[in-house]
């Protein structure tokens, strides 16, 4: 599976998650200590917009407005993200992901990882399950092994690594590398 296909599959695998967001659970905690459900969806929208701009070698113009319909907005941003990363040169050259310049290939893989990890956060916080293909789970672990370094932990990007149980699959091991407890529940 190509990197663009992985991003598309990740968006498809997570598109339903916003269906369970209600006024009652918008302030609920998530496995990501930095965000409640509403803040997490806002963060995901920002990531989707930044990543779409990175794929097109542009800078994001404005923060997405999620006040009216957060689920529809995130769905639309996800569709735009898939289209942007499917363009022939999206993974080529250099780009900016937010304020950081990096290879477009790396930006695409950070995007994939952000989609998967934060979608899991949203699924857990809203009492849902995130079902991923083995390819996406494997890709998440490879990316986590590259991203979850001590300097990244020191900067606050990731928590302290959790020791993964032997029975954990690749996605659960990736979550543990980020400092998330794969057994987290609300």
């Amino acid at each position: 599976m190509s990197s663009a296909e992985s991003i598309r599959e990740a968006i498809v695998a997570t598109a339903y998650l916003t269906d369970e967001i209600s006024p009652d659970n918008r302030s609920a905690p998530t496995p990501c200590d930095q965000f409640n459900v509403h803040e997490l969806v806002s963060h995901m929208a920002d990531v989707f917009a930044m990543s779409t701009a990175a794929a097109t070698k542009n800078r994001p113009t404005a923060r997405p407005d999620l006040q009216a319909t957060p689920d529809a907005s995130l769905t639309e941003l996800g569709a735009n993200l898939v289209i942007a990363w499917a363009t022939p040169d999206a993974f080529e050259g250099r780009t900016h992901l937010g304020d950081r310049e990096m290879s477009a290939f790396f930006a695409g893989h950070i995007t994939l990882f952000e989609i998967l990890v934060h979608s899991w956060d949203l699924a857990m916080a809203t009492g849902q399950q995130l079902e991923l293909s083995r390819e996406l789970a494997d890709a998440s672990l490879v990316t986590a092994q590259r991203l979850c370094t001590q300097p990244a932990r020191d900067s606050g990007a990731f928590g302290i690594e959790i020791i993964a149980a032997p029975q954990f699959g690749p996605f659960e091991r990736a979550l543990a590398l980020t400092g998330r407890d794969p057994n987290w529940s609300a």
Side-chain angles (χ1 to χ4, degrees):
M1 176 182 322
S2 74
S3 297
E5 290 167 338
S6 294
I7 288 173
R8 182 192 54 73
E9 186 178 321
I11 291 293
V12 168
T14 62
Y16 66 92
L17 293 173
T18 56
D19 294 346
E20 295 300 317
I21 297 173
S22 69
D24 295 336
N25 66 8
R26 288 173 61 94
S27 61
T30 71
C32 183
D33 293 340
Q34 299 171 338
F35 305 121
N36 65 28
V37 168
H38 175 72
E39 294 162 341
L40 177 63
V41 171
S42 293
H43 173 71
M44 291 172 73
D46 287 343
V47 168
F48 286 15
M50 280 190 310
S51 181
T52 299
T56 59
K57 313 299 189 281
N58 292 305
R59 298 282 187 126
T61 55
R63 293 189 72 190
D65 178 18
L66 298 178
Q67 294 305 316
T69 53
D71 53 342
S73 300
L74 199 58
T75 300
E76 181 181 330
L77 290 166
N80 292 340
L81 176 94
V82 168
I83 292 166
W85 284 104
T87 60
D89 64 344
F91 287 88
E92 311 229 346
R94 302 210 43 91
T95 193
H96 285 84
L97 188 60
D99 294 330
R100 293 181 45 211
E101 183 182 345
M102 62 188 68
S103 77
F105 182 81
F106 192 57
H109 286 271
I110 290 173
T111 295
L112 177 61
F113 193 63
E114 286 271 334
I115 294 167
L116 296 175
V117 171
H118 286 311
S119 292
W120 179 83
D121 291 338
L122 185 57
M124 295 300 98
T126 56
Q128 301 178 79
Q129 292 295 315
L130 180 62
E131 300 291 329
L132 301 179
S133 69
R134 180 63 186 220
E135 283 183 286
L136 282 180
D138 289 343
S140 71
L141 180 57
V142 169
T143 304
Q145 290 167 333
R146 291 182 180 155
L147 292 178
C148 300
T149 62
Q150 192 57 50
R153 290 179 204 293
D154 292 344
S155 75
F158 301 105
I160 298 169
E161 179 181 354
I162 292 179
I163 304 304
Q167 72 273 15
F168 283 168
F171 186 62
E172 290 79 13
R173 291 196 312 268
L175 292 170
L177 284 170
T178 71
R180 285 167 173 78
D181 178 357
N183 294 314
W184 188 93
S185 63

